[in-house]
Amino acid sequence: MSTIPLQRRRTFHRNRRPATDFLKEYLLVPAASFAKKQTVLCIAIAAMLATCVFVPFDRTYLTYFDLRTLATLFCTLAVVAAFSHIHLFEIISKTIVIKLHTLRNAVLGLVLITFFGSMLLANDMALLTFLPLGYFVLNSTGNKQVMAFVFIMQNIAANLGGMVTPFGNPQNLYLYSYFHIDTAEFVRIMLPSFLAASFLILAVCLLVKRTPLTLKKDTSYRLPKKRTVLYSVLFICSILIVFRIIPYLLGTLAITLALFFLDKKALREVNYPLLGTFCAFFVFSGNLARIPAVSSFFSELLPVNTLLFGILSCQLISNVPSAVLLSHFTTDYASLLPAVNIGGLGTLIASLASLITFSEYKKHNPEKIRHYFFLFTVVNFGFLLILFLLQSLLT
């Protein structure tokens, strides 16, 4: 017979919680909360796992990951976080407000600096650099209501700004090398779309009202000279990794060690879910290219209309993987080039740069995600349709 008193046994059984309660509290609720906060990452993982059903795990999986891109993203995110801790963006944004005076001029300045910056830094780096600046300008002047529009226009500017040069976008560099395209011919092919994109971006930005800009809180910051110089050197190292001047493993190790001693918080603030999203999409697109039915589909349809099907491919697997995949099924690079540049517009995954913009916006406005999705879709597909129709007339 049990030695535990009857009253204590009754209390024990009454207080004991069912296993389903523990499962709900410690597994289901945290999982639902994570899925709500990291919706794009969860979708990317689900898409990746769906393709893994058709492609067994093997050594080829290791070749999917663009380690240089991941390293550059990590380094840039960390250095930008370090810059924010010394108030660099507040100082620059204050200068913009003082010099440009109106909201329209500020939006034009932010979008154009992203547009031209993408020609030198590539679209991902341009967004990582200038989106924080856009946030500080709008937040410090009480204009957060137009942040979705400004971020979306910066995203479009980053995707389209580098299309006219072989090194402006990753997909351009790949196709330029793969098809051995002459530089003059490359520019000739892309110039009409580039000029049209430039005109459209300017026209849309001019719709912004000429509202006077005033600082909500005129706080004066002074840059610490030593840290500013050190962080600038680290940022330049990140850019040199992109251009393969510094080996990405060595550069990443050096930047990580430097920030470990200079600003550990910057390393903690890196957007690791964004890096995870990139990894998932690398696996998804890599597997998709190895599925026979998908390869057969593209080999049959692509010759019919390379421009159209190239753009549609970007909407599903993004523009860089599409460039790599479709280059094996066509020799019509004159149509494929504009397709994978224009095709970066449209859905949120049409360009991985768009995921960077979405992630940055969600960090500042988590309660307005639906508004962002709606506006992103309307503006992006508007640009996509106009540029597609123009390019169709030229080919």
Side-chain angles (χ1 to χ4, degrees), residues 41 43-67 70 275-291 294 316-318 321 325 352 355:
L41 174 59
I43 292 173
I45 292 174
M48 175 192 72
L49 294 176
T51 61
C52 290
V53 174
F54 302 96
V55 182
F57 289 100
D58 54 23
R59 291 184 178 180
T60 307
Y61 271 71
L62 298 177
T63 66
Y64 294 160
F65 301 98
D66 188 339
L67 297 181
L70 294 172
L275 295 174
T277 302
F278 269 65
C279 290
F281 272 114
F282 283 144
V283 176
F284 169 71
S285 58
N287 279 345
L288 208 61
R290 294 174 63 191
I291 298 174
V294 174
L316 299 175
I317 63 173
S318 84
L325 175 65
L352 294 180
L355 295 178

Side-chain angles (χ1 to χ4, degrees), residues 39-317:
T39 306
V40 176
L41 174 59
C42 292
I43 292 173
I45 292 174
M48 175 192 72
L49 294 176
T51 61
C52 290
V53 174
F54 302 96
V55 182
F57 289 100
D58 54 23
R59 291 184 178 180
T60 307
Y61 271 71
L62 298 177
T63 66
Y64 294 160
F65 301 98
D66 188 339
L67 297 181
R68 180 172 286 100
T69 296
L70 294 172
T72 305
L73 280 173
F74 170 82
C75 293
T76 308
L77 288 166
V79 175
V80 167
F83 271 136
S84 70
H85 295 160
I86 60 173
H87 306 290
L88 175 67
F89 297 112
E90 288 100 320
I91 294 170
I92 297 176
S93 65
K94 181 179 178 179
T95 304
I96 289 175
V97 172
I98 293 172
K99 297 290 184 181
L100 299 182
H101 306 297
T102 68
L103 181 60
R104 178 190 292 177
N105 290 342
V107 170
L108 279 169
L110 290 167
V111 172
L112 291 179
I113 196 174
T114 308
F115 185 76
F116 291 110
S118 67
M119 297 180 187
L120 301 174
L121 306 176
N123 51 5
D124 294 346
M125 290 284 287
L127 288 169
L128 290 170
T129 304
F130 299 120
L131 285 174
L133 180 60
Y135 164 75
F136 281 110
V137 169
L138 299 175
N139 186 58
S140 63
T141 58
N143 285 291
K144 285 186 69 175
Q145 74 278 2
V146 297
M147 188 173 294
F149 171 79
V150 175
F151 272 34
I152 290 165
M153 290 307 300
Q154 284 185 276
N155 182 79
I156 290 174
N159 278 326
L160 299 179
M163 70 162 65
V164 77
T165 60
F167 53 83
N169 289 324
Q171 66 271 20
N172 287 358
L173 192 59
Y174 169 78
L175 294 175
Y176 176 78
S177 175
Y178 183 83
F179 288 110
H180 305 287
I181 306 172
D182 179 75
T183 303
E185 184 182 9
F186 184 100
V187 174
R188 180 186 60 79
I189 292 170
M190 297 306 303
L191 190 59
S193 292
F194 174 79
L195 294 176
S198 303
F199 175 79
L200 284 173
I201 289 171
L202 281 172
V204 173
C205 288
L206 287 174
L207 296 176
V208 177
K209 293 181 180 180
R210 297 177 62 90
T211 307
L213 288 182
T214 54
L215 290 168
K216 290 193 303 181
K217 185 179 179 182
D218 192 359
T219 306
S220 296
Y221 294 107
R222 295 185 64 182
L223 287 174
K225 292 182 180 180
K226 289 184 179 179
R227 284 185 180 268
T228 303
V229 172
L230 288 171
Y231 294 162
S232 298
V233 170
L234 295 181
F235 184 73
I236 292 170
C237 288
S238 298
I239 296 173
L240 295 179
I241 292 173
V242 176
F243 291 105
R244 304 173 188 267
I245 296 173
I246 295 179
Y248 68 88
L249 287 177
L250 178 62
T252 303
L253 179 62
I255 291 171
T256 302
L257 286 174
L259 289 177
F260 179 80
F261 291 105
L262 292 169
D263 189 350
K264 293 185 180 68
K265 187 179 178 182
L267 295 175
R268 293 195 297 268
E269 290 180 356
V270 169
N271 192 339
Y272 292 104
L274 177 62
L275 295 174
T277 302
F278 269 65
C279 290
F281 272 114
F282 283 144
V283 176
F284 169 71
S285 58
N287 279 345
L288 208 61
R290 294 174 63 191
I291 298 174
V294 174
S295 297
S296 176
F297 172 80
F298 281 117
S299 61
E300 292 179 7
L301 286 183
L302 200 60
V304 176
N305 192 325
T306 303
L307 177 66
L308 174 61
F309 289 110
I311 289 174
L312 293 177
S313 172
C314 293
Q315 306 310 303
L316 299 175
I317 63 173

